Coordinates of all heavy atoms in Angstrom, one line a residue:
M1 N 0.8 -1.2 0.0 CA 0.0 0.0 0.0 C 0.9 1.2 0.0 O 1.9 1.3 0.7 CB -0.9 0.0 1.2 CG -1.7 1.2 1.4 SD -2.9 1.2 2.7 CE -4.3 0.5 1.9
A2 N 0.5 2.2 -0.8 CA 1.3 3.5 -0.8 C 1.1 4.3 0.4 O 0.1 4.2 1.1 CB 0.8 4.3 -2.0
K3 N 2.2 5.0 0.7 CA 2.2 5.9 1.9 C 2.3 7.3 1.5 O 2.8 7.6 0.4 CB 3.3 5.5 2.8 CG 3.3 4.1 3.3 CD 2.5 4.0 4.5 CE 2.7 2.6 5.1 NZ 2.1 2.4 6.4
L4 N 1.8 8.2 2.3 CA 1.9 9.7 2.1 C 2.7 10.3 3.3 O 2.4 10.0 4.4 CB 0.6 10.3 2.0 CG -0.3 9.9 0.9 CD1 -1.7 10.5 1.1 CD2 0.3 10.3 -0.4
R5 N 3.8 11.0 2.9 CA 4.5 11.8 4.0 C 3.9 13.2 4.0 O 4.0 13.9 3.0 CB 6.0 11.8 3.6 CG 6.8 12.6 4.7 CD 8.3 12.6 4.3 NE 8.8 11.3 4.0 CZ 9.4 10.5 4.8 NH1 9.5 10.9 6.1 NH2 9.9 9.4 4.5
I6 N 3.3 13.6 5.1 CA 2.6 14.9 5.2 C 3.4 15.7 6.1 O 3.7 15.3 7.3 CB 1.2 14.7 5.7 CG1 0.4 13.7 4.8 CG2 0.4 16.0 5.7 CD1 -0.8 13.1 5.5
T7 N 3.8 16.9 5.7 CA 4.6 17.9 6.5 C 3.8 19.2 6.7 O 3.3 19.7 5.7 CB 5.9 18.2 5.8 OG1 6.6 17.0 5.5 CG2 6.8 19.1 6.7
Q8 N 3.7 19.6 7.9 CA 3.0 20.9 8.1 C 4.0 22.0 7.8 O 5.1 22.1 8.4 CB 2.5 21.0 9.5 CG 1.7 22.3 9.8 CD 1.1 22.3 11.2 OE1 1.0 21.3 11.9 NE2 0.6 23.5 11.6
L9 N 3.6 22.9 6.9 CA 4.5 24.0 6.5 C 4.1 25.4 7.1 O 4.9 26.3 7.2 CB 4.6 24.1 5.0 CG 5.2 22.9 4.3 CD1 5.2 23.2 2.8 CD2 6.6 22.6 4.8
R10 N 2.8 25.5 7.4 CA 2.4 26.8 7.9 C 1.6 26.6 9.2 O 1.1 25.6 9.5 CB 1.4 27.5 6.8 CG 2.2 27.7 5.5 CD 1.5 28.6 4.6 NE 1.2 29.9 5.2 CZ 0.3 30.8 4.7 NH1 -0.4 30.4 3.7 NH2 0.2 31.9 5.3
S11 N 1.5 27.7 9.9 CA 0.9 27.7 11.3 C -0.6 27.5 11.1 O -1.2 28.0 10.2 CB 1.2 28.9 12.0 OG 0.5 29.0 13.2
S12 N -1.2 27.0 12.2 CA -2.7 26.9 12.2 C -3.3 28.1 12.9 O -4.5 28.2 12.9 CB -3.1 25.6 12.9 OG -2.7 25.6 14.2
I13 N -2.5 29.0 13.3 CA -3.0 30.2 14.0 C -3.8 31.0 12.9 O -3.3 31.2 11.8 CB -1.9 31.1 14.5 CG1 -1.2 30.4 15.7 CG2 -2.4 32.5 15.0 CD1 0.0 31.1 16.2
G14 N -5.0 31.4 13.2 CA -5.8 32.2 12.3 C -6.6 31.4 11.3 O -7.3 31.9 10.5
T15 N -6.5 30.1 11.4 CA -7.3 29.2 10.6 C -8.7 28.9 11.2 O -8.8 29.1 12.4 CB -6.6 27.9 10.2 OG1 -6.3 27.2 11.4 CG2 -5.3 28.2 9.5
K16 N -9.6 28.3 10.5 CA -10.9 28.0 11.0 C -10.7 26.8 11.9 O -9.8 25.9 11.8 CB -11.8 27.6 9.9 CG -12.1 28.8 9.0 CD -13.0 28.5 7.9 CE -13.3 29.7 7.0 NZ -14.2 29.4 5.9
P17 N -11.6 26.6 12.9 CA -11.5 25.5 13.9 C -11.6 24.1 13.2 O -10.9 23.2 13.6 CB -12.7 25.7 14.8 CG -13.0 27.2 14.7 CD -12.6 27.6 13.3
A18 N -12.3 24.0 12.1 CA -12.4 22.8 11.4 C -11.0 22.4 10.8 O -10.7 21.2 10.7 CB -13.5 22.8 10.3
Q19 N -10.3 23.4 10.3 CA -9.0 23.1 9.7 C -8.0 22.7 10.8 O -7.2 21.8 10.6 CB -8.5 24.3 8.9 CG -9.3 24.6 7.7 CD -8.9 25.9 7.0 OE1 -8.3 26.8 7.6 NE2 -9.3 26.0 5.8
R20 N -8.1 23.4 11.9 CA -7.2 23.0 13.1 C -7.5 21.5 13.5 O -6.6 20.8 13.8 CB -7.4 23.9 14.2 CG -6.6 25.2 14.1 CD -6.7 26.0 15.3 NE -7.5 27.2 14.9 CZ -8.4 27.8 15.5 NH1 -8.7 27.5 16.7 NH2 -9.0 28.9 15.0
A21 N -8.8 21.2 13.5 CA -9.2 19.8 13.9 C -8.7 18.8 12.8 O -8.3 17.7 13.2 CB -10.7 19.7 14.0
T22 N -8.7 19.2 11.6 CA -8.2 18.3 10.5 C -6.7 18.1 10.7 O -6.2 16.9 10.6 CB -8.5 18.9 9.1 OG1 -9.9 19.1 9.0 CG2 -8.0 18.0 8.0
L23 N -5.9 19.1 11.0 CA -4.5 18.9 11.2 C -4.2 18.0 12.4 O -3.4 17.1 12.4 CB -3.8 20.3 11.5 CG -3.7 21.2 10.3 CD1 -3.1 22.6 10.8 CD2 -2.8 20.6 9.3
K24 N -5.0 18.2 13.5 CA -4.9 17.3 14.6 C -5.2 15.9 14.3 O -4.5 14.9 14.7 CB -5.8 17.8 15.8 CG -5.6 17.1 17.1 CD -6.4 17.7 18.2 CE -6.2 17.0 19.5 NZ -7.1 17.6 20.5
A25 N -6.3 15.7 13.5 CA -6.7 14.3 13.1 C -5.6 13.7 12.2 O -5.5 12.4 12.3 CB -8.0 14.4 12.4
L26 N -4.9 14.5 11.4 CA -3.8 13.9 10.6 C -2.6 13.6 11.5 O -1.7 12.9 11.0 CB -3.4 14.9 9.5 CG -4.4 15.0 8.4 CD1 -4.0 16.2 7.5 CD2 -4.4 13.8 7.5
G27 N -2.5 14.1 12.7 CA -1.4 13.8 13.6 C -0.4 14.9 13.6 O 0.7 14.7 14.1
L28 N -0.7 16.1 13.0 CA 0.3 17.1 12.9 C 0.1 18.1 14.1 O -1.0 18.4 14.5 CB 0.1 17.9 11.6 CG 0.4 17.1 10.4 CD1 -0.1 17.8 9.1 CD2 1.8 16.8 10.2
R29 N 1.3 18.5 14.7 CA 1.2 19.3 15.9 C 1.8 20.7 15.7 O 1.4 21.6 16.3 CB 2.0 18.6 17.0 CG 1.3 17.3 17.5 CD 2.0 16.8 18.7 NE 3.4 16.5 18.4 CZ 3.9 15.3 18.3 NH1 3.2 14.2 18.6 NH2 5.2 15.1 18.1
K30 N 2.9 20.8 14.9 CA 3.6 22.1 14.8 C 4.3 22.1 13.4 O 4.3 21.2 12.7 CB 4.6 22.3 15.9 CG 5.6 21.2 16.0 CD 6.5 21.4 17.3 CE 7.4 20.3 17.5 NZ 8.3 20.4 18.6
I31 N 4.8 23.3 13.1 CA 5.4 23.5 11.8 C 6.7 22.6 11.7 O 7.4 22.4 12.7 CB 5.9 25.0 11.7 CG1 4.6 25.9 11.7 CG2 6.7 25.2 10.4 CD1 4.9 27.4 11.7
R32 N 6.9 22.1 10.5 CA 7.9 21.1 10.2 C 7.7 19.7 10.8 O 8.6 18.9 10.6 CB 9.3 21.6 10.5 CG 9.7 22.9 9.8 CD 10.0 22.7 8.4 NE 10.4 23.9 7.7 CZ 10.2 24.2 6.5 NH1 9.6 23.3 5.7 NH2 10.5 25.3 6.0
H33 N 6.6 19.5 11.4 CA 6.3 18.1 11.9 C 5.8 17.3 10.7 O 5.1 17.7 9.9 CB 5.2 18.2 13.0 CG 5.0 16.9 13.7 ND1 3.7 16.4 13.8 CD2 5.8 16.0 14.2 CE1 3.8 15.3 14.5 NE2 5.1 15.0 14.7
E34 N 6.4 16.0 10.7 CA 6.0 15.1 9.6 C 5.3 13.9 10.2 O 5.7 13.4 11.2 CB 7.3 14.6 8.9 CG 7.9 15.7 8.0 CD 9.1 15.1 7.2 OE1 9.5 13.9 7.4 OE2 9.7 15.8 6.4
V35 N 4.4 13.4 9.4 CA 3.7 12.1 9.7 C 3.6 11.3 8.4 O 3.6 11.9 7.3 CB 2.3 12.3 10.3 CG1 2.4 13.0 11.7 CG2 1.4 13.1 9.4
V36 N 3.5 10.0 8.6 CA 3.4 9.1 7.4 C 2.0 8.4 7.6 O 1.8 7.8 8.6 CB 4.5 8.1 7.3 CG1 4.2 7.1 6.2 CG2 5.8 8.8 7.2
Q37 N 1.1 8.6 6.6 CA -0.2 8.0 6.7 C -0.4 7.1 5.4 O 0.3 7.3 4.4 CB -1.3 9.1 6.6 CG -1.2 10.0 7.8 CD -2.0 9.5 9.0 OE1 -2.6 8.4 8.9 NE2 -1.9 10.2 10.1
N38 N -1.2 6.1 5.6 CA -1.6 5.3 4.4 C -2.4 6.1 3.4 O -3.2 7.0 3.8 CB -2.5 4.1 4.8 CG -1.7 3.1 5.6 OD1 -0.5 2.9 5.4 ND2 -2.3 2.4 6.6
D39 N -2.2 5.9 2.1 CA -2.9 6.6 1.1 C -4.3 6.0 1.0 O -4.5 4.9 0.7 CB -2.2 6.5 -0.2 CG -2.7 7.4 -1.3 OD1 -3.6 8.2 -1.0 OD2 -2.2 7.4 -2.4
S40 N -5.3 6.9 1.3 CA -6.7 6.4 1.2 C -7.5 7.6 0.8 O -7.1 8.8 1.0 CB -7.2 5.9 2.6 OG -7.2 6.9 3.5
P41 N -8.7 7.4 0.3 CA -9.6 8.5 0.0 C -9.9 9.4 1.2 O -10.0 10.7 1.0 CB -10.9 7.9 -0.5 CG -10.4 6.5 -1.0 CD -9.3 6.1 -0.1
Q42 N -10.0 8.9 2.4 CA -10.3 9.7 3.5 C -9.1 10.6 3.9 O -9.4 11.8 4.1 CB -10.6 8.8 4.8 CG -11.8 8.0 4.7 CD -11.6 6.6 3.9 OE1 -10.5 6.3 3.5 NE2 -12.7 5.9 3.7
I43 N -7.9 10.1 3.8 CA -6.7 11.0 4.1 C -6.6 12.0 3.0 O -6.3 13.2 3.2 CB -5.5 10.1 4.2 CG1 -5.6 9.1 5.4 CG2 -4.2 11.0 4.3 CD1 -5.7 9.8 6.7
R44 N -6.8 11.6 1.7 CA -6.7 12.6 0.6 C -7.8 13.7 0.8 O -7.5 14.9 0.5 CB -7.0 11.9 -0.7 CG -5.9 11.0 -1.2 CD -4.7 11.7 -1.7 NE -3.7 10.8 -2.2 CZ -2.7 11.1 -2.9 NH1 -2.6 12.4 -3.3 NH2 -1.8 10.2 -3.3
G45 N -8.9 13.4 1.3 CA -10.0 14.4 1.5 C -9.5 15.4 2.6 O -9.8 16.6 2.6
M46 N -8.9 14.8 3.7 CA -8.4 15.7 4.8 C -7.3 16.6 4.3 O -7.3 17.8 4.7 CB -7.9 14.8 5.9 CG -9.0 14.0 6.6 SD -8.4 12.7 7.7 CE -7.9 13.7 9.1
I47 N -6.5 16.1 3.4 CA -5.4 16.9 2.9 C -5.9 18.0 2.0 O -5.5 19.1 2.1 CB -4.4 16.0 2.1 CG1 -3.6 15.1 3.1 CG2 -3.4 16.9 1.3 CD1 -2.8 14.0 2.4
A48 N -7.0 17.7 1.3 CA -7.6 18.7 0.4 C -8.1 19.9 1.2 O -8.2 21.0 0.7 CB -8.7 18.1 -0.4
K49 N -8.6 19.7 2.5 CA -9.1 20.7 3.3 C -8.0 21.6 3.8 O -8.3 22.8 4.2 CB -9.9 20.1 4.5 CG -11.1 19.4 4.1 CD -12.2 20.4 3.6 CE -13.5 19.7 3.3 NZ -14.5 20.6 2.8
V50 N -6.8 21.1 4.0 CA -5.7 21.9 4.5 C -4.5 22.0 3.6 O -3.4 22.1 4.0 CB -5.3 21.4 5.9 CG1 -6.4 21.6 6.9 CG2 -4.9 20.0 5.8
V51 N -4.7 21.9 2.3 CA -3.7 21.9 1.3 C -2.8 23.1 1.4 O -1.6 23.0 1.0 CB -4.2 21.6 -0.1 CG1 -5.0 22.9 -0.6 CG2 -3.1 21.2 -1.1
H52 N -3.3 24.2 1.8 CA -2.5 25.5 1.9 C -1.6 25.5 3.1 O -0.8 26.4 3.2 CB -3.5 26.7 1.9 CG -4.4 26.7 3.0 ND1 -5.5 25.8 3.1 CD2 -4.5 27.4 4.1 CE1 -6.2 26.0 4.2 NE2 -5.6 27.0 4.9
L53 N -1.7 24.5 4.0 CA -0.9 24.5 5.2 C 0.1 23.3 5.2 O 1.0 23.3 6.0 CB -1.8 24.3 6.4 CG -2.9 25.3 6.7 CD1 -3.8 24.9 7.9 CD2 -2.3 26.7 6.9
V54 N 0.0 22.4 4.3 CA 0.8 21.2 4.3 C 1.5 20.9 3.0 O 1.1 21.5 1.9 CB 0.0 19.9 4.7 CG1 -0.6 20.1 6.1 CG2 -1.1 19.6 3.7
S55 N 2.5 20.0 3.0 CA 3.2 19.5 1.8 C 3.0 18.0 1.9 O 3.0 17.4 2.9 CB 4.6 19.9 1.9 OG 5.4 19.2 0.9
V56 N 2.8 17.4 0.7 CA 2.5 16.0 0.6 C 3.5 15.3 -0.4 O 3.6 15.8 -1.5 CB 1.1 15.7 0.2 CG1 0.8 14.2 0.1 CG2 0.1 16.4 1.1
E57 N 4.1 14.2 0.0 CA 5.0 13.4 -0.9 C 4.5 12.0 -0.8 O 4.2 11.5 0.3 CB 6.4 13.5 -0.4 CG 7.0 14.8 -0.3 CD 8.4 14.8 0.3 OE1 9.0 13.7 0.3 OE2 8.9 15.8 0.8
E58 N 4.5 11.3 -2.0 CA 4.2 9.9 -2.0 C 5.4 9.1 -1.8 O 6.5 9.4 -2.3 CB 3.6 9.6 -3.3 CG 2.2 10.2 -3.5 CD 1.5 9.6 -4.8 OE1 1.9 8.5 -5.3 OE2 0.6 10.3 -5.3
T59 N 5.3 8.1 -0.9 CA 6.4 7.2 -0.6 C 6.0 5.8 -0.8 O 4.8 5.5 -0.9 CB 7.0 7.4 0.8 OG1 6.0 7.2 1.7 CG2 7.5 8.8 1.0
K60 N 6.9 4.8 -0.7 CA 6.5 3.4 -0.8 C 6.4 2.8 0.5 O 6.8 3.2 1.5 CB 7.5 2.7 -1.6 CG 7.5 3.1 -3.1 CD 8.4 2.2 -3.9 CE 8.4 2.6 -5.3 NZ 9.2 1.8 -6.1

């Protein structure tokens, strides 16, 4: 199964509460924090909500 490396690049200060909750659900806590998640439609949807705050790389 493919994996996604998600890195938070921008602060969540000033964002909507739903976007902050999405970052927390992805496992991101602070700027430059990285998490690896399985590639799934649910995770892709969460990334789409906060695409302006994160960077995404596909890994194996």
Side-chain angles (χ1 to χ4, degrees):
M1 176 176 268
K3 301 273 188 176
L4 298 174
R5 181 183 308 268
I6 308 162
T7 307
Q8 183 174 349
L9 297 178
R10 300 193 60 199
S11 174
S12 62
I13 295 173
T15 60
K16 296 179 180 181
Q19 292 174 341
R20 277 184 249 141
T22 301
L23 288 175
K24 186 175 179 181
L26 285 169
L28 297 168
R29 294 185 301 247
K30 55 187 177 180
I31 296 173
R32 299 288 180 211
H33 186 230
E34 289 185 354
V35 294
V36 177
Q37 297 278 355
N38 290 327
D39 191 1
S40 68
Q42 293 84 3
I43 297 295
R44 291 283 184 165
M46 293 168 77
I47 291 168
K49 294 291 184 182
V50 293
V51 70
H52 58 290
L53 302 175
V54 299
S55 167
V56 180
E57 300 174 21
E58 292 189 21
T59 62
K60 290 187 179 182

